[in-house]
Amino acid sequence: MGRAFEFRKARKMKRWSAMSKAFTRIGKDIVMAVKEGGPDPDSNSRLRAVMQNAKAVNMPKDTVERAIKKASEKDQGDYKEVLFEGYAQHGIAVLIETATDNNTRTVANVRSYFNKCDGSLGTSGSVVFMFDHTCNFKITGEELDLEELELELIDFGVEEIFEDTDEDEEGNEQTCVMIYAPFESFGNIQSYLEENNIEIISSGFERIPQVTKTISPEEAEDVEKLLEKLEEDDDVQNVYHTMEESTEE
């Protein structure tokens, strides 16, 4: 299997994100999608994708509808997507995606986390080149020929397609298929799946490290302190790093 498969496996093993945090993220995604393309999901592909993700984490339908309505109001502020880059202890590169309505606050908070954990906040471009910006789709795996699907999607730059397991709304394990491709391929793949009536469970964007660094369990604890502070911040959407999870006891 390729890097995307290993990356997803590592992320699944560490489900740090509480449901309330997932709802906060999606709420911001709804605002940004509505501000960009309007409140009608039929004509706003970004909003369609966010609504699929909301369903995947069991966000109530009426909560989603209220968020769309609120995002459509003129006095609703917008969120700006800002990327932060830096290093945790032991040479681990860290990339942070934020969505904020107060950049001054977010910068101050992120800088304080790095300072408290003996890390260093870097300048723009200092670590982003170490990560591949990818898009991904989780689709229903029933009655799909993966080899045939991969051939159909090869022209869209798809890099990895593999079977995986996840939990459905009732908590039962179900088989799904993961598709990974370059960031810019998102729109074309979304259109293909929709046109061919392939159900999209969820979709999104991730930054996969090109090279990882293995450190000791004790060193990993140092890095985890910073990652946890970042992940708990309401302005932070995603945190990526180059640390290889050690399997040593």
Side-chain angles (χ1 to χ4, degrees):
M1 290 291 180
R3 283 189 301 123
F5 174 82
E6 294 300 328
F7 174 80
R8 175 166 165 79
K9 185 171 69 172
R11 298 277 281 190
K12 279 176 67 179
M13 289 177 68
K14 188 189 174 193
R15 293 182 182 275
W16 58 266
S17 177
M19 190 62 70
S20 58
K21 178 74 174 180
F23 285 8
T24 300
R25 280 205 197 99
I26 288 172
K28 289 185 178 182
D29 287 340
I30 288 173
V31 172
M32 290 186 286
V34 170
K35 292 287 184 182
E36 179 185 289
D40 182 3
D42 290 336
S43 58
N44 185 340
S45 59
R46 181 175 180 179
L47 181 57
R48 278 201 308 281
V50 177
M51 290 174 71
Q52 288 159 351
N53 294 346
K55 183 180 179 183
V57 297
N58 299 323
M59 190 172 186
K61 188 177 179 181
D62 60 338
T63 303
V64 175
E65 291 172 350
R66 282 199 306 272
I68 293 172
K69 185 178 180 182
K70 186 178 180 182
S72 305
E73 295 172 359
K74 288 183 179 179
D75 60 348
Q76 169 65 53
D78 200 0
Y79 292 99
K80 182 182 179 184
E81 295 177 288
V82 183
L83 198 64
F84 292 91
E85 307 170 49
Y87 281 91
Q89 292 187 64
H90 314 298
I92 300 300
V94 182
L95 192 60
I96 306 111
E97 294 176 338
T98 68
T100 178
D101 57 359
N102 185 331
N103 193 49
T104 302
R105 175 193 67 221
T106 308
V107 171
N109 286 347
V110 171
R111 180 175 285 116
S112 73
Y113 303 145
F114 275 92
N115 289 341
K116 288 175 183 175
C117 298
D118 296 321
S120 59
L121 185 62
T123 56
S124 178
S126 58
V127 306
V128 68
F129 67 92
M130 301 179 187
F131 298 80
D132 290 331
H133 201 183
T134 67
C135 67
N136 65 77
F137 292 85
K138 185 198 297 181
I139 61 177
T140 53
E142 296 175 4
E143 299 176 6
L144 277 181
D145 184 322
L146 294 194
E147 289 187 9
E148 186 178 321
L149 181 63
E150 190 167 11
L151 285 173
E152 289 290 332
L153 294 175
I154 201 90
D155 290 339
F156 300 141
V158 167
E159 293 167 345
E160 285 188 51
I161 295 181
F162 54 86
E163 247 185 23
D164 202 358
T165 57
D166 224 324
E167 292 182 353
D168 62 18
E169 294 177 14
E170 284 77 39
N172 301 313
E173 198 170 84
Q174 64 176 359
T175 300
C176 61
V177 171
M178 294 300 305
I179 300 171
Y180 276 84
F183 171 82
E184 58 273 10
S185 301
F186 184 89
N188 287 335
I189 296 174
Q190 183 188 40
S191 296
Y192 174 87
L193 296 174
E194 289 177 344
E195 288 166 5
N196 287 275
N197 298 314
I198 297 173
E199 182 186 354
I200 301 172
I201 300 171
S202 64
S203 60
F205 303 98
E206 289 177 315
R207 297 177 187 268
I208 301 178
Q210 296 168 358
V211 179
T212 55
K213 181 178 181 181
T214 302
I215 57 179
S216 71
E218 292 77 19
E219 291 172 330
E221 285 182 16
D222 296 333
V223 177
E224 288 288 352
K225 290 175 185 175
L226 172 60
L227 300 181
E228 286 171 9
K229 285 183 180 295
L230 290 166
E231 288 164 349
E232 288 169 1
D233 191 289
D234 285 342
D235 291 337
V236 171
Q237 296 287 87
N238 289 294
V239 180
Y240 303 101
H241 56 80
T242 57
M243 178 174 66
E244 182 74 34
E245 301 289 346
S246 177
T247 56
E248 295 177 29
E249 293 296 328

